[in-house]
Structure formats: C-alpha cells, structure tokens
Amino acid sequence: MSVTVEQLTKVYGSQKALDNVSIDIVKGEIVGLLGPNGAGKSTLMKIITCYLPPTSGEAVINGFDIATESMQVRRSIGYLPESNPLYYDMHVKEFLHFIAGVHGLKNRKERVNEMIEMTGLHVEMKKKIGALSKGFKQRVGLAQALIHDPEVLILDEPTSGLDPNQIIEIRGLIKNVGSQKTILLSTHIMQEVEAICSRVIIIDKGKIVADDKTENLTNLFTGPEMILVEFEQSVAKDALKKIQGVKNLHSAGTNAWKIEVGAGSDVRKSLFDFAVKTNNTVLSLSKEKHSIEELFQRLTK
Ligand code: ADP
Ligand code: MG
C-alpha cells in the first residue's frame, strides 16, 4: 500500500473537519479527492504530509508512519499545497536549486535541469517567479514537488484559478507524471476527476460518502436528463409540455426553460421543429451537465 489512512479525525476547536476517514491507495493510482469548499480536503492533505497532526487516527505513507517517521514520510511525498507558496523574488532556477538543497540532493544541477525540462519551464526559467503567469507558477510548484523523485504526489487543487489552456497543460503534466507515481489530487470539479483520475473519493463535511472507480461514479448519472433551451420569443408552458418526451419543465430565465426528459428520449430535434412551426427561433440548446451538488445530494441522501 502506498497511502493508508485509518480512522482519521481532525477537530478544530469545536468543529470536526475530518470525521473517521479511512482510505487505501495502492501504487500507481491517480485518485481524485472530490468535495465542495470546506469538505476537509486540505486538512486531510496537510495531515498526510505531516504539516498538521490529526486529533486521532493513523496514516502510513510508503510504509512510514506520519506520527513517528515524519522525516521519511516527507521524503516519500511531493506536495503542492493549495496556496502554492513560492518565493516571488527568486528566479525559477535559483528557487529549484534551493529546494534541491533542502532535500540534500547530490546531483542538484542535473535534477533542476530535468525538472525544468519535464515541466516545460525552460522558456521562463530566467524570470523571477513573481513575474510568471499563474500557469507557470503552478509548473514551478509541480517542479518543486517532483524534484526529489517522491513515490507519492499530493496535489491540493492543482488547477484552481488557471485559465482553460493552462488547465489542459497542467492536467497533461499530471497525467504524464502519474504513470510512475501514486497521486492524490483534490478538486471541487467533477470534470477534472473524469479527465485524469482512475478513482474518485468524494468527501463531504469531513466524511467520505463515495469511493469508487471514476467510470462507476459517472455511471450513477443515469437519472433523468435535463435540456436547457432558450427561445427568441416567449413560449407557452403548456405548448412545450405537449412535446413528446418532455416529462417536466421549469422556467430558467426570460424565454428559457429547463426541461426534464424521459429516459432515452432526445427532445432536441422536436424543440427545433416546434420553434420552426411557431415562427420562433432557438437561441441556444444544451444538455445540462450534472453538477457536483446533484451528485452530493444523491450520495448523501
Ligand atoms: P477544503 O480544503 O475541502 O475546502 P478544509 O480542509 O480547508 O476544506 O477545511 C475543512 C473545514 O475545517 C472547514 O470548515 C474549515 O473552515 C475548517 N478549518 C480549516 N482549517 C482550519 C483552522 N486552521 N482552524 C479552524 N478551522 C479550520
Ligand atoms: Mg482546500
């Protein structure tokens, strides 16, 4: 086992941030820790990385106990904290040399160059960290997490605050690295998990509410499908309700409707036909992605 967490509980004052959490992650897995803000994701990661002691419970990382072997645990882990604290006045190369020194690496120059290569930092390596874009700052964060070649990577919301292109680049990087490491990454975005993780652990109010292969969890979404449609001109609710396949509908703004569709039926073509017949125009039409809130509601019911 690469990461074993047993009955971890963390109490801040009177608040339980983690409530009896147990997890087993084997070598080579990329696991997504999915949960809304305040669920306890960062707290769990800080405990696993020995930055915070648990109130009770145990964790063993790469065979080392967080309570008694914190030095070995830290050596086994690469950690990208949520805030990605970097020294903005340092240059990229200088910073990575510094981190390599902290880890007591012998082949510093070589490792720094390898990390710059691996994370695609060469174009920006002469800049001060403070002058980098957020995406490149995340690359520096990943490079510092990887420089001592740890077995386990703990990444706390690694793509939060990045623009869509940067998100794709960082996800690609994580996936590449993931073929040789065990990764636990946190996110509040379902699509992130679908894009990179083989397994999902869903956490809510400090408790694990689901732990399964990603495909099994996404298959839970086989309930009624929602279609969002916006017309140019107003439409009578009763007229829409008559369209075959429409089970239920709610207003979703001016001339916009959220339509619940019966299993297996796609009413999109009928909606277009309806618009044409009534001299109306469809301005937009989309299938609604199930939100994490819906998944939570189902799982915590
Ligand atoms: P997440 O990373 O999932 O957003 P956190 O682990 O940061 O969640 O927080 C879990 C809960 O614990 C939240 O309700 C948060 O307010 C609380 N919390 C986190 N850190 C502290 C702290 N140092 N002192 C008191 N409460 C905290
Ligand atoms: Mg957090």
Side-chain angles (χ1 to χ4, degrees), residues 4-147:
T4 305
V5 169
E6 250 172 86
Q7 300 185 316
L8 268 193
T9 293
K10 178 70 187 179
V11 181
Y12 293 113
S14 60
Q15 193 191 358
K16 235 183 211 178
L18 286 180
D19 188 358
N20 207 22
V21 166
S22 298
I23 297 172
D24 267 335
I25 302 174
V26 296
K27 193 177 161 74
E29 276 189 297
I30 303 187
V31 178
L33 184 63
L34 180 66
N37 286 332
K41 304 181 296 294
S42 296
T43 300
L44 177 61
M45 292 182 149
K46 283 177 199 161
I47 293 173
I48 291 175
T49 51
C50 296
Y51 280 87
L52 198 68
T55 305
S56 62
E58 290 169 11
V60 175
I61 315 299
N62 204 26
F64 301 111
D65 191 316
I66 56 161
T68 55
E69 297 165 302
S70 66
M71 283 311 290
Q72 291 92 326
V73 169
R74 283 174 192 233
R75 215 172 286 147
S76 309
I77 287 182
Y79 177 37
L80 178 60
E82 191 167 25
S83 52
N84 187 13
L86 299 168
Y87 295 99
Y88 280 14
D89 275 338
M90 278 184 151
H91 292 82
V92 172
K93 250 190 151 168
E94 184 189 4
F95 173 70
L96 292 176
H97 267 284
F98 165 70
I99 297 293
V102 169
H103 287 295
L105 301 186
K106 290 197 188 85
N107 51 344
R108 282 177 211 181
K109 218 172 172 175
E110 204 185 325
R111 264 319 264 174
V112 168
N113 288 335
E114 276 171 26
M115 285 308 103
I116 284 174
E117 186 61 36
M118 183 193 282
T119 55
L121 275 165
H122 38 274
V123 276
E124 301 285 67
M125 70 183 180
K126 299 223 165 84
K127 280 192 187 167
K128 275 194 177 178
I129 291 172
L132 298 178
S133 70
K134 195 148 188 211
F136 273 93
K137 285 193 185 106
Q138 270 324 65
R139 289 175 194 239
V140 176
L142 276 173
Q144 69 77 27
L146 284 164
I147 200 159

Side-chain angles (χ1 to χ4, degrees), residues 9-299:
T9 293
K10 178 70 187 179
V11 181
Y12 293 113
S14 60
Q15 193 191 358
K16 235 183 211 178
L18 286 180
D19 188 358
N20 207 22
V21 166
S22 298
I23 297 172
D24 267 335
I25 302 174
V26 296
K27 193 177 161 74
E29 276 189 297
I30 303 187
V31 178
L33 184 63
L34 180 66
N37 286 332
K41 304 181 296 294
S42 296
T43 300
L44 177 61
M45 292 182 149
K46 283 177 199 161
I47 293 173
I48 291 175
T49 51
C50 296
Y51 280 87
L52 198 68
T55 305
S56 62
E58 290 169 11
V60 175
I61 315 299
N62 204 26
F64 301 111
D65 191 316
I66 56 161
T68 55
E69 297 165 302
S70 66
M71 283 311 290
Q72 291 92 326
V73 169
R74 283 174 192 233
R75 215 172 286 147
S76 309
I77 287 182
Y79 177 37
L80 178 60
E82 191 167 25
S83 52
N84 187 13
L86 299 168
Y87 295 99
Y88 280 14
D89 275 338
M90 278 184 151
H91 292 82
V92 172
K93 250 190 151 168
E94 184 189 4
F95 173 70
L96 292 176
H97 267 284
F98 165 70
I99 297 293
V102 169
H103 287 295
L105 301 186
K106 290 197 188 85
N107 51 344
R108 282 177 211 181
K109 218 172 172 175
E110 204 185 325
R111 264 319 264 174
V112 168
N113 288 335
E114 276 171 26
M115 285 308 103
I116 284 174
E117 186 61 36
M118 183 193 282
T119 55
L121 275 165
H122 38 274
V123 276
E124 301 285 67
M125 70 183 180
K126 299 223 165 84
K127 280 192 187 167
K128 275 194 177 178
I129 291 172
L132 298 178
S133 70
K134 195 148 188 211
F136 273 93
K137 285 193 185 106
Q138 270 324 65
R139 289 175 194 239
V140 176
L142 276 173
Q144 69 77 27
L146 284 164
I147 200 159
H148 56 300
D149 198 20
E151 301 270 330
V152 179
L153 264 186
I154 306 285
L155 310 173
D156 199 351
E157 307 223 15
T159 64
S160 105
L162 302 185
D163 71 34
N165 286 331
Q166 294 168 335
I167 287 176
I168 289 168
E169 286 163 15
I170 295 294
R171 282 181 187 167
L173 251 173
I174 294 170
K175 260 186 143 167
N176 270 345
V177 174
S179 54
Q180 290 128 50
K181 314 248 174 233
T182 305
I183 300 185
L184 178 66
L185 71 90
S186 71
T187 178
H188 55 270
I189 305 159
M190 185 75 205
Q191 284 82 347
E192 179 121 311
V193 166
E194 285 185 89
I196 34 183
C197 304
S198 52
R199 175 176 156 202
V200 198
I201 294 170
I202 301 185
I203 184 168
D204 185 31
K205 299 189 193 83
K207 284 193 171 132
I208 291 179
V209 295
D211 180 351
D212 210 334
K213 280 186 183 163
T214 308
E215 55 187 77
N216 291 349
L217 276 179
T218 46
N219 284 345
L220 282 178
F221 294 116
T222 47
E225 206 168 58
M226 291 289 190
I227 302 278
L228 278 172
V229 61
E230 187 186 359
F231 295 99
E232 189 169 45
Q233 292 153 46
S234 71
V235 172
K237 187 173 179 177
D238 285 346
L240 273 178
K241 247 188 162 162
K242 281 190 191 129
I243 295 174
Q244 206 179 14
V246 172
K247 268 180 72 182
N248 210 346
L249 65 157
H250 319 274
S251 171
T254 314
N255 303 337
W257 298 88
K258 196 168 173 179
I259 299 178
E260 196 179 308
V261 182
S265 50
D266 188 347
V267 300
R268 289 178 294 180
K269 189 175 177 307
S270 311
L271 285 168
F272 266 110
D273 293 344
F274 169 83
V276 170
K277 247 194 262 169
T278 54
N279 278 327
N280 206 333
T281 307
V282 172
L283 293 181
S284 72
L285 185 60
S286 61
K287 277 195 192 182
E288 185 167 82
K289 287 246 164 76
H290 290 271
S291 65
I292 173 129
E293 288 77 15
E294 284 174 278
L295 178 58
F296 270 112
Q297 281 171 358
R298 281 177 190 221
L299 289 169

